[in-house]
Amino acid sequence: MKKTRLDWLIIGLALFSMFFGAGNIIFPPSIGLAMGKHWIVSALGFAFTGVGLPVLGVLTMNKVRNFENFAGGISKLFFTLYSLLLMASVVFTNTPRTAATAYELGLLPNLGNFHISPIIISIIFFLVTLYMSINPSKAIDRVGKILTPTIVIIVISLIYLGVTHKIGNPGTPHIHANAFGFGFSQGYQTMDGIMAGLFSMVILADLTTRGYKKENERASIIKRASIVTGLGLSIIYFGLFYLGATANQYFSPNILRAQLVANFVHMFLGQYGNLIFGICVIAACLSTAIALTMVVSEFFSKTYGFAYKKVAIISCLVSGFMANFGVDKIVKFAEPILGILYPITIVLIFLGIMNIGNQNVRRFCVSVAGLFALLQTIVDGTNIMILEKIFYSFPLASQGFIWVIPTVVVGVITYFMNRKSEKNVVEVQA
């Protein structure tokens, strides 16, 4: 594969397409609908986890060079548990959700009275995914040159029609929650922040294949590609939030996420809108499924020495089975896992971007973030009054950020206590 002047654009579009999949289409409109006139604040919170963290994750991975450095420096046990939990979340929730969304949002609205089993669709979907992901280098080009332009053109058209022919004005929020915090935590469901480092592994390997052997060359491409990805995601997210907000007084707050988007498509794109948007949804979901399958296969191949193709086959089989539970059940199943993974990943991203490789600092920051994230997950899943009172006595607990202040305080104290120590276990680029 040869270098070209537009490699940065191809990589940027490929990254965008990897990130922009199932959750990126169905979550923003539903959050906008729920938050009504507070949609902008909520969209900013969502953008932090849905745009800022993915971009920072990509830049961090470029600095630390590999996933072992990104998630390392704490202990071997932590690296094993964190990476396996991350891979499990991909295979059991994120990848299956792409197929379920492709079926519910991309295919069902176009079938009319004709019924086809989701099992058959998941088999076809993952056969295509497997075929496309077997050759990572070709997959990057296919995603960047073919699938992404299709997705962008159709989604931008929908947003444009929604803005110029808006349904109504954003009204009173349907839920009583901190707008920024709600958008921030809902952004977890895209899984883009925790997948950024893993997607970067595929991109960095592809750049090497293209002939970019020098670190400064790869860094230049990654930085420009990240701008393309970030701008693309931001424009589409805010547009979809706005669509949801304008329908705040039009649709029931209990409407299913996929059904809400399907209604927008029918309203703005007419009779053939479902077909056009169905193509977009299937393309978006397929591109993300391909990326996720490549990531899992690449990880187990490089870290544990398993055969790339065998891992890809097993991953597709498991994800194909899980896809038949449907979008909403998969989302509900993923919530507690993401509630623990995300704070830890955010801490790892900032430790990497700030060039902090000291083992003690990394251990304490990750431990505190993980402990409070686990506490928040337990409180959210139970109704123990005493535990809730203790929990909400902490700063930012009601906003969903209970882990932030304790992690920062412990991190600062540990940093100054160990700043003369040379026990840096993670090497980063200057």
Side-chain angles (χ1 to χ4, degrees):
M1 202 177 277
K2 296 181 180 179
K3 297 180 183 179
T4 70
R5 285 186 173 183
L6 294 179
D7 279 343
W8 62 274
L9 181 59
I10 293 171
I11 295 296
L13 291 174
L15 263 175
F16 168 86
S17 197
M18 288 177 180
F19 287 130
F20 191 75
N24 312 72
I25 295 176
I26 64 175
F27 284 105
S30 66
I31 302 170
L33 180 77
M35 298 311 300
K37 61 185 179 181
H38 296 155
W39 73 271
I40 295 179
V41 177
S42 194
L44 289 171
F46 188 91
F48 189 94
T49 44
V51 180
L53 286 181
V55 170
L56 283 176
V58 171
L59 296 176
T60 300
M61 185 59 68
N62 182 62
K63 288 174 71 71
V64 301
R65 299 181 181 89
N66 56 60
F67 189 74
E68 286 75 12
N69 281 339
F70 173 75
I74 290 93
S75 70
K76 289 183 179 180
L77 178 61
F78 167 80
F79 177 79
T80 301
L81 291 176
Y82 173 78
S83 58
L84 291 181
L85 184 60
L86 186 57
M87 293 302 122
S89 70
V90 172
V91 175
F92 285 92
T93 63
N94 204 13
T95 311
R97 192 178 66 189
T98 61
T101 302
Y103 175 74
E104 293 180 24
L105 188 55
L107 194 61
L108 274 185
N110 293 297
L111 294 178
N113 295 325
F114 181 75
H115 175 74
I116 184 169
S117 171
I119 297 175
I120 296 174
I121 297 305
S122 64
I123 291 172
I124 296 172
F125 184 91
F126 282 107
L127 281 174
V128 176
T129 299
L130 181 62
Y131 172 76
M132 294 280 282
S133 60
I134 287 298
N135 191 323
S137 296
K138 289 184 179 179
I140 294 293
D141 269 2
R142 288 166 182 163
V143 167
K145 293 178 180 178
I146 301 172
L147 293 181
T148 307
T150 303
I151 298 166
V152 171
I153 291 170
I154 296 175
V155 175
I156 291 295
S157 298
L158 177 65
I159 292 173
Y160 172 77
L161 292 172
V163 171
T164 55
H165 301 82
K166 68 178 182 178
I167 302 172
N169 295 312
T172 304
H174 292 311
I175 60 172
H176 299 288
N178 177 275
F180 184 88
F182 183 73
F184 185 98
S185 60
Q186 289 298 301
Y188 288 176
Q189 284 288 354
T190 67
M191 290 187 71
D192 290 344
I194 62 175
M195 293 310 303
L198 297 173
F199 284 159
S200 299
M201 289 169 52
V202 177
I203 295 299
L204 290 172
D206 179 67
L207 285 175
T208 302
T209 304
R210 291 173 186 268
Y212 293 95
K213 307 294 184 182
K214 297 180 180 179
E215 290 179 355
N216 61 336
E217 286 183 322
R218 291 198 297 270
S220 176
I221 295 290
I222 288 291
K223 287 176 183 177
R224 285 186 285 172
S226 296
I227 294 173
V228 172
T229 302
L231 283 175
L233 290 173
S234 297
I235 292 170
I236 288 180
Y237 284 156
F238 275 83
L240 291 174
F241 260 88
Y242 178 75
L243 289 189
T246 58
N248 169 260
Q249 301 175 62
Y250 190 86
F251 291 111
S252 165
N254 298 320
I255 188 171
L256 296 176
R257 297 179 180 92
Q259 187 182 347
L260 175 63
V261 178
N263 282 329
F264 284 141
V265 172
H266 182 73
M267 292 173 66
F268 298 130
L269 297 180
Q271 182 180 357
Y272 299 102
N274 289 335
L275 177 61
I276 296 171
F277 195 70
I279 295 171
C280 170
V281 169
I282 293 171
C285 293
L286 189 59
S287 65
T288 300
I290 293 166
L292 293 171
T293 303
M294 289 193 297
V295 159
V296 172
S297 305
E298 191 83 18
F299 174 80
F300 281 104
S301 174
K302 288 190 173 180
T303 307
Y304 297 105
F306 294 112
Y308 179 96
K309 290 184 180 180
K310 288 182 179 179
V311 176
I313 292 171
I314 294 172
S315 176
C316 287
L317 285 172
V318 174
S319 295
F321 171 76
M322 292 297 298
N324 294 286
F325 286 95
V327 174
D328 287 321
K329 287 185 179 178
I330 294 172
V331 168
K332 189 173 181 180
F333 176 73
E335 284 179 353
I337 300 173
L338 299 180
I340 296 171
L341 279 176
Y342 247 101
I344 293 173
T345 304
I346 292 171
V347 170
L348 290 173
I349 287 174
F350 278 95
L351 288 172
I353 211 73
M354 295 170 66
N355 298 341
I356 297 176
N358 184 278
Q359 187 176 42
N360 289 328
V361 177
R362 295 177 69 83
R363 278 181 174 175
F364 277 98
C365 286
V366 167
S367 297
V368 171
L371 178 63
F372 279 93
L374 177 61
L375 176 61
Q376 180 148 15
T377 301
I378 293 172
V379 170
D380 290 342
T382 60
N383 292 312
I384 304 174
M385 295 299 295
I386 297 177
L387 188 60
E388 286 185 2
K389 286 183 179 180
I390 297 173
F391 176 82
Y392 286 110
S393 66
F394 283 88
L396 301 181
S398 58
Q399 287 78 31
F401 305 127
I402 187 174
W403 56 274
V404 173
I405 292 180
T407 304
V408 171
V409 170
V410 169
V412 170
I413 293 173
T414 312
Y415 176 78
F416 282 103
M417 288 179 65
N418 294 270
R419 60 179 175 174
K420 293 183 180 180
S421 170
E422 297 188 7
K423 195 177 183 180
N424 286 322
V425 290
V426 176
E427 296 296 329
V428 294
Q429 297 181 41

